[in-house]
Amino acid sequence: GEDVEQSLFLSVREGDSSVINCTYTDSSSTYLYWYKQEPGAGLQLLTYIFSNMDMKQDQRLTVLLNKKDKHLSLRIADTQTGDSAIYFCAENEEYGGATNKLIFGTGTLLAVQP
Amino acid sequence: DGGITQSPKYLFRKEGQNVTLSCEQNLNHDAMYWYRQDPGQGLRLIYYSQIVNDFQKGDIAEGYSVSREKKESFPLTVTSAQKNPTAFYLCASSIAGTSRTQYFGPGTRLLVL
């Protein structure tokens, strides 16, 4: 089956940049997503990238996609303590012509030290 | 405000009991999904529905049941056949079709007494 892998933990100091990495296996994925989950809460969509793009920037967030290596990264500039959360990478899996299923990684816990 | 609501926030289940988790959305989305989240793991798909009165099993449907009688509602029942129900349950919705972004509710935490 399809698989998405992420490192479990990342610690950074406030003001530094954070880079969260993800590898996926389904080369047919058309969209790749980054979600943020704060303690005890649901998932908040942060950003997504279409598979024919290499990079997408949205304020402090930069997504890089290396389709050849099936590698996705999320860079958070000027990381703040409010960015502390679990970050999930997800790829979409399409089947049946009309069905959209997300395959999630295990999540990366980002801890921002003041 | 448009969004997805889940209730209750916490739910306790006794042995042998069925419990139902509510999920409602006012986003006018056709597709709805239920995921289960266990500590240190990603989300796993339980059931999904692309249209009213139709739904399909996901990867871990055993011990769960759903209904989709209304577009805005997709309740999940955790039956007594689910032997390890303690988890965080997340509902999501999206516009129907492929590659559509899913939006999530706040989740329900189910605990077994």
Side-chain angles (χ1 to χ4, degrees), chain A residues 8 30-31 33 35 37 40-43 45 48 88 92 94-95 97-102 104-106, chain B residues 9 33 35 37 40-43 45 48 50 59 88 90 97-106 109:
Chain A
L8 290 180
T30 49
Y31 285 95
Y33 300 87
Y35 285 89
Q37 185 180 36
L43 271 66
L45 177 68
Y48 62 89
F88 289 95
N92 77 289
E94 301 178 11
Y95 52 92
T99 302
N100 180 34
K101 172 181 167 182
L102 289 180
F104 285 87
T106 53
Chain B
K9 189 173 173 68
Y33 311 80
Y35 292 89
Q37 185 180 24
Q41 295 189 37
L43 281 68
L45 184 65
Y48 62 97
Q50 294 290 320
D59 298 319
F88 191 46
L90 288 157
T98 59
S99 304
R100 299 305 186 187
T101 300
Q102 293 182 23
Y103 296 91
F104 285 80
R109 188 165 299 280

Side-chain angles (χ1 to χ4, degrees), chain B residues 54-72:
Chain B
D54 187 46
F55 49 82
Q56 286 79 39
K57 293 182 180 180
D59 298 319
I60 55 166
E62 186 174 349
Y64 300 96
S65 66
V66 292
S67 63
R68 188 84 188 279
E69 297 176 3
K70 297 186 294 183
K71 185 176 184 178
E72 59 270 21

Side-chain angles (χ1 to χ4, degrees), chain A residues 80-92:
Chain A
Q80 303 297 307
T81 54
D83 294 324
S84 294
I86 300 175
Y87 291 80
F88 289 95
C89 166
E91 62 171 344
N92 77 289

Side-chain angles (χ1 to χ4, degrees), chain A:
Chain A
E2 307 308 335
D3 194 20
V4 178
E5 295 188 356
Q6 301 178 238
S7 53
L8 290 180
F9 182 72
L10 175 66
S11 179
V12 299
R13 292 203 174 275
E14 191 173 18
D16 289 347
S17 292
S18 307
V19 180
I20 302 171
N21 294 301
C22 169
T23 57
Y24 62 97
T25 57
D26 186 359
S27 58
S28 66
S29 293
T30 49
Y31 285 95
L32 295 132
Y33 300 87
W34 283 104
Y35 285 89
K36 175 184 179 182
Q37 185 180 36
E38 296 181 359
L43 271 66
Q44 172 194 351
L45 177 68
L46 281 180
T47 187
Y48 62 89
I49 188 166
F50 190 52
S51 60
N52 69 353
M53 298 170 66
D54 298 323
M55 184 181 87
K56 180 179 180 181
Q57 187 154 3
D58 184 1
Q59 299 182 332
R60 292 191 298 124
L61 305 179
T62 302
V63 179
L64 294 177
L65 175 60
N66 181 329
K67 202 170 179 184
K68 173 176 169 289
D69 294 337
K70 299 192 184 71
H71 182 265
L72 183 73
S73 68
L74 174 69
R75 178 178 181 270
I76 305 173
D78 186 25
T79 312
Q80 303 297 307
T81 54
D83 294 324
S84 294
I86 300 175
Y87 291 80
F88 289 95
C89 166
E91 62 171 344
N92 77 289
E93 178 182 305
E94 301 178 11
Y95 52 92
T99 302
N100 180 34
K101 172 181 167 182
L102 289 180
I103 310 296
F104 285 87
T106 53
T108 299
L109 174 61
L110 174 64
V112 182
Q113 310 299 323

